[in-house]
Amino acid sequence: MSEYLENVRQNEGSLDYQTTIGTATDNKFLPYLDTEDNWTIGYGHKMSENEIAELVTPYESSFTESQYGTIASGSPGWSFEEGESTLNVDYNEKLTQTGHYFGSNHPSSVMHAVTETGYNMGAKGLYDKFPGFRENIIAGDYSKAAENLIWKDPSNQGYITNESGEEVYDPSLTSKWYDQVGHDRATGIYNQLIEGSESVNESNLTNKIFDQVRHIDETNLDTHKIVGNTEF
């Protein structure tokens, strides 16, 4: 799992990157407001109300406004060790949630691709908000799932016919998700899904839709304990 965990670590803000923007300094991570105005710390950890009350609220007078946003610069923050430990906990919880919502009979690259896709919104948020992607994954059609993530209309994969009758690529046809996460992260997740598709084809496995995924007993899933999960 180390390869996939490293992807999240880098994509959620590597230590070098956070040092550059000021959210990691003096051997500690500082709370900051993310692009959705959620207080965040470490490697994309959405802070709980208790964490905000402890690490943000008492230090409102010492907030710093930078070109990257608001940072609670006076906060004691977290040590780098705390940030690393929480990343492991958060990721493993989200991987477990992915199995509950999308089934766990998928190749490892697919499991981790889905986990990273829903890292911030939680597996339930991903399940609810991306129905096409959800159906593709559950059905085992990983290549179609990858295409649905990248393009608004997977049938043309970003190409249109211009007035001269030529097929040209139109970057405006990429999906909102692609635009939000950026090319590098989107491509990495896309490639993991394609890798899963190829591994299934090579081994001639039959993918099955799990009926139990459609009848999840949510009383057994305490999503409020999933750090960083957003309810929809």
Side-chain angles (χ1 to χ4, degrees):
M1 189 183 75
S2 59
E3 171 191 349
Y4 303 110
L5 189 63
E6 181 61 25
N7 289 339
V8 175
R9 183 187 289 106
Q10 295 298 319
N11 289 326
E12 290 293 335
S14 68
L15 190 55
D16 286 344
Y17 175 74
Q18 293 201 57
T19 299
T20 298
I21 68 175
T23 56
T25 182
D26 297 328
N27 296 313
K28 65 181 180 181
F29 287 111
L30 294 172
Y32 63 93
L33 285 175
D34 66 12
T35 55
E36 301 297 322
D37 285 335
N38 296 311
W39 281 107
T40 307
I41 192 170
Y43 299 105
H45 172 84
K46 182 182 176 183
M47 300 175 72
S48 67
E49 291 184 4
N50 288 339
E51 289 168 338
I52 293 172
E54 177 184 357
L55 297 176
V56 177
T57 305
Y59 307 96
E60 290 181 353
S61 62
S62 58
F63 287 178
T64 297
E65 298 293 337
S66 73
Q67 61 177 313
Y68 302 102
T70 302
I71 303 172
S73 52
S75 171
W78 279 354
S79 68
F80 290 161
E81 290 76 16
E82 286 177 290
E84 191 69 29
S85 175
T86 302
L87 170 63
N88 279 273
V89 172
D90 285 355
Y91 187 83
N92 280 295
E93 286 183 340
K94 290 172 175 61
L95 184 60
T96 299
Q97 287 284 305
T98 293
H100 279 298
Y101 283 96
F102 292 87
S104 56
N105 68 323
H106 309 293
S108 61
S109 66
V110 172
M111 291 295 296
H112 291 286
V114 178
T115 298
E116 182 172 351
T117 303
Y119 186 83
N120 288 306
M121 71 180 77
K124 185 179 186 302
L126 178 62
Y127 183 90
D128 291 342
K129 296 189 70 174
F130 292 78
F133 176 79
R134 175 185 71 213
E135 296 301 322
N136 295 152
I137 292 296
I138 294 174
D141 192 347
Y142 309 129
S143 60
K144 186 62 176 293
E147 293 171 358
N148 267 326
L149 280 180
I150 301 295
W151 294 289
K152 294 175 182 176
D153 181 0
S155 66
N156 59 42
Q157 298 192 357
Y159 282 88
I160 61 172
T161 303
N162 64 16
E163 295 178 355
S164 301
E166 300 174 313
E167 291 289 318
V168 294
Y169 185 74
D170 183 352
S172 70
L173 298 180
T174 53
S175 69
K176 182 178 180 181
W177 173 84
Y178 175 94
D179 296 335
Q180 289 176 335
V181 303
H183 173 78
D184 290 345
R185 190 171 197 176
T187 301
I189 291 172
Y190 175 92
N191 288 337
Q192 288 179 41
L193 292 169
I194 295 301
E195 177 185 337
S197 179
E198 292 173 348
S199 69
V200 168
N201 291 335
E202 288 173 2
S203 58
N204 196 30
L205 294 177
T206 300
N207 293 285
K208 296 179 294 183
I209 298 177
F210 282 120
D211 288 338
Q212 63 265 35
V213 175
R214 303 182 184 279
H215 303 286
I216 297 171
D217 180 3
E218 293 191 10
T219 62
N220 293 327
L221 298 176
D222 188 354
T223 57
H224 294 282
K225 291 184 179 179
I226 301 302
V227 182
N229 182 44
T230 302
E231 294 182 64
F232 294 89

